Amino acid sequence: MDETVKKIITYSFFILLLIVLSGLYIVEMNLRDWRADELRPHYEYTVKISGLSGTEVLGTTRILVPIPATKEGVFAITPSQEEPSFFKSLLQEHVFHTPEKYIRGIYFENTTESLDNKSLNGNWATSIVNTKHGPMLEFRTNESVLADISFSKIVVLEQMDNEDPINENSPILYPIASEVSLVGEDYQYFRLMSRVITYETYIEMSDNINSKAIKFDISLEVYPDVTERDGDKGTYKNKLDVVVAESGELKKNATIETYF
């Protein structure tokens, strides 16, 4: 085999290798761009209210619960839709024949789009309302026989801070009724430290429920990008878990447990 043939084979090999590596890079880039919301920095907000089912009422029933927001009542920032680079757009359009709506990049619903004006079983409707304490999430129905409430949403975040979410503008169950009541306790879980903070927040129920015992199980779990975290490090969990048998505006304890 002469030198010319060897050079042709060598150059062909490197060109083929370059094409394969470029293809793998593009595939990896697309997988990252279009990965599931659960793999990105995000929060999972869940509201479960039980004990309502079968309750007969008159008029409109309203229940207000804490909403994910910073301690100032500002909703967390969601990543904006990014326009693809010229090179990536050409590849998507002419090589992979990607539909135009996907070439434009993924779109993330923000807190308002995810939580406001949703319909639930039992003809409950959600609404983000402004109260004297700031924004809260309202569940409203005109049904004469109530049903339990189960509502859950995932919202992708631009950024979050797990070590001090209250003071670093990360989402918590808002509003905070009294910062004076904040108390921190540290626990050791193997290699992870866990800090539990307790504070007061608000819930509100219309008075047509007749003081029946109602269980509130509200949680806000916040997670970082799973590709960048170590186990549970970087997560925090905010919970309000109470049973109430009274109507009106009520102050109740919520907890935040952080892992770092």
Side-chain angles (χ1 to χ4, degrees):
M1 184 180 298
D2 58 31
E3 285 298 318
T4 302
V5 175
K6 287 183 179 179
K7 287 182 179 180
I8 292 174
I9 293 174
T10 302
Y11 291 150
S12 298
F13 172 78
F14 281 114
I15 291 172
L16 179 61
L17 181 62
L18 181 61
I19 293 173
V20 170
L21 291 177
S22 298
L24 290 175
Y25 171 74
I26 293 169
V27 169
E28 190 277 335
M29 183 172 58
N30 278 319
L31 287 175
R32 180 168 180 81
D33 286 349
W34 293 95
R35 69 194 189 278
D37 290 351
E38 291 86 347
L39 303 180
R40 306 171 187 271
H42 70 280
Y43 71 67
E44 299 178 12
Y45 175 58
T46 302
V47 178
K48 294 182 179 180
I49 306 176
S50 56
L52 296 168
S53 185
T55 301
E56 297 183 0
V57 296
L58 296 175
T60 299
T61 303
R62 299 172 63 244
I63 299 177
L64 276 69
V65 300
I67 195 169
T70 69
K71 70 173 183 177
E72 287 82 17
V74 178
F75 296 147
I77 297 173
T78 297
S80 58
Q81 188 176 36
E82 295 183 3
E83 292 293 331
S85 66
F86 178 72
F87 173 70
K88 183 178 178 181
S89 181
L90 284 178
L91 286 173
Q92 296 279 22
E93 184 176 355
H94 299 292
V95 178
F96 296 103
H97 304 290
T98 305
E100 183 180 352
K101 67 177 181 178
Y102 295 120
I103 294 176
R104 292 180 56 202
I106 191 168
Y107 178 81
F108 302 102
E109 285 191 339
N110 59 35
T111 294
T112 301
E113 292 170 314
S114 296
L115 306 186
D116 194 36
N117 196 28
K118 304 300 180 185
S119 298
L120 286 68
N121 289 337
N123 283 328
W124 290 100
T126 68
S127 179
I128 296 175
V129 297
N130 288 316
T131 72
K132 62 184 179 182
H133 306 297
M136 295 181 71
L137 184 65
E138 178 189 77
F139 296 91
R140 177 191 291 259
T141 185
N142 291 318
E143 290 293 309
S144 58
V145 179
L146 300 181
D148 289 346
I149 294 173
S150 181
F151 180 72
S152 183
K153 288 290 182 179
I154 291 178
V155 174
V156 176
L157 301 174
E158 180 71 42
Q159 61 183 11
M160 46 82 71
D161 186 296
N162 72 297
E163 293 192 13
D164 190 6
I166 290 180
N167 295 312
E168 294 298 332
N169 293 321
S170 290
I172 60 170
L173 291 175
Y174 173 92
I176 295 179
S178 173
E179 286 194 66
V180 178
S181 65
L182 296 177
V183 178
E185 301 176 70
D186 291 347
Y187 298 91
Q188 180 78 45
Y189 292 122
F190 300 103
R191 293 182 305 161
L192 294 178
M193 286 293 294
S194 173
R195 176 174 295 128
V196 178
I197 299 171
T198 301
Y199 68 95
E200 287 183 316
T201 187
Y202 295 100
I203 57 175
E204 185 175 336
M205 293 197 301
S206 53
D207 57 10
N208 62 340
I209 303 178
N210 298 323
S211 300
K212 184 176 180 181
I214 308 299
K215 186 178 189 304
F216 288 77
D217 185 2
I218 304 171
S219 67
L220 175 66
E221 300 186 2
V222 185
Y223 298 92
D225 191 321
V226 297
T227 63
E228 299 176 359
R229 69 186 176 103
D230 177 19
D232 285 330
K233 187 175 182 181
T235 69
Y236 64 90
K237 300 181 180 182
N238 197 176
K239 294 192 67 176
L240 186 154
D241 189 2
V242 295
V243 176
V244 300
E246 52 191 320
S247 58
E249 180 186 283
L250 309 169
K251 280 186 181 182
K252 297 297 175 181
N253 283 343
T255 60
I256 302 177
E257 185 168 13
T258 63
Y259 304 89
F260 51 93

